[in-house]
Amino acid sequence: MSDQAQDGLILLSEHFTNSAAFQDLFRDGMNLVEETAAYLDGEGRTEAKSLERAVGLTYATESMRLTTRLMQLASWLLLHRAVREGEMTLNQANREKTKVKLTAAEPGATDLIEKLPSQLQALITRSMELQAKVRRLDATMHAEKTDAGAPGNPLMPQLDRLRAAFEG
């Protein structure tokens, strides 16, 4: 990647992590983590006890998947907040980011999820929406260094749009 393209990615990432959009994403993500923990430790625990055995097993599986997914997302958010706070460089965050699995814990079959309590279903849906958003951002912010600046790369128009959005 050319130095100019590398600098553009770093600049774009720094713009994003310093933006109100990142602050909103961080707040929403961490609020979802807290809301999920409160549900699973409170009302969710009570609801789980009243489920029939097969649905109870699905509840246990999906709550573990949900927790895993949210912990991976929280790790990504915390890494980028550390960049914003100057606690680490973007290159350091990129190295640490390899430990974060943004594809972790995809939910099970829809027909099984539909049998779960509605509040758990809503938390699963919201976590999947957050995961999709973070995965899109991650793909843009941390494009492969070897070909992100290559002519015809489909990420370049995205990078240009994001750069323009965060420069203003």
Side-chain angles (χ1 to χ4, degrees):
M1 170 189 291
S2 72
D3 287 341
Q4 184 178 13
Q6 170 105 8
D7 292 345
L9 282 177
I10 291 171
L11 186 60
L12 174 65
S13 296
E14 289 173 357
H15 276 294
F16 176 70
T17 58
N18 288 309
S19 71
F22 177 76
Q23 290 173 357
D24 291 345
L25 179 66
F26 184 86
R27 183 194 65 240
D28 293 346
M30 297 316 249
N31 285 344
L32 183 57
V33 168
E34 289 179 22
E35 184 180 340
T36 299
Y39 169 76
L40 292 174
D41 284 342
E43 186 179 342
R45 188 178 307 254
T46 303
E47 288 177 338
K49 290 177 183 177
S50 67
L51 298 173
E52 60 186 63
R53 183 178 167 100
V55 179
L57 180 59
T58 299
Y59 180 97
T61 302
E62 292 306 323
S63 63
M64 286 176 39
R65 286 178 175 159
L66 173 60
T67 302
T68 300
R69 184 179 319 112
L70 288 174
M71 290 303 101
Q72 294 297 312
L73 292 168
S75 295
W76 188 94
L77 290 167
L78 289 166
L79 275 174
H80 288 84
R81 185 182 72 171
V83 171
R84 186 189 78 213
E85 302 287 327
E87 297 169 2
M88 64 180 7
T89 67
L90 184 62
N91 285 334
Q92 289 171 320
N94 276 333
R95 283 192 300 273
E96 290 298 315
K97 188 187 80 61
T98 62
K99 300 172 188 170
V100 176
K101 305 297 180 215
L102 293 176
T103 58
E106 295 293 327
T110 305
D111 61 324
L112 295 174
I113 302 282
E114 290 172 348
K115 295 177 182 176
L116 296 172
S118 61
Q119 192 168 353
L120 181 59
Q121 289 181 46
L123 290 169
I124 291 168
T125 298
R126 288 172 53 204
S127 74
M128 293 304 298
E129 290 167 354
L130 177 64
Q131 184 181 46
K133 183 183 280 188
V134 167
R135 286 172 72 180
R136 283 190 305 272
L137 286 168
D138 187 72
T140 301
M141 292 172 61
H142 301 281
E144 284 294 324
K145 290 180 174 51
T146 56
D147 61 3
N153 183 325
L155 286 178
M156 291 313 293
Q158 258 185 320
L159 287 171
D160 292 339
R161 286 192 300 274
L162 283 169
R163 191 176 296 115
F166 290 109
E167 286 176 352

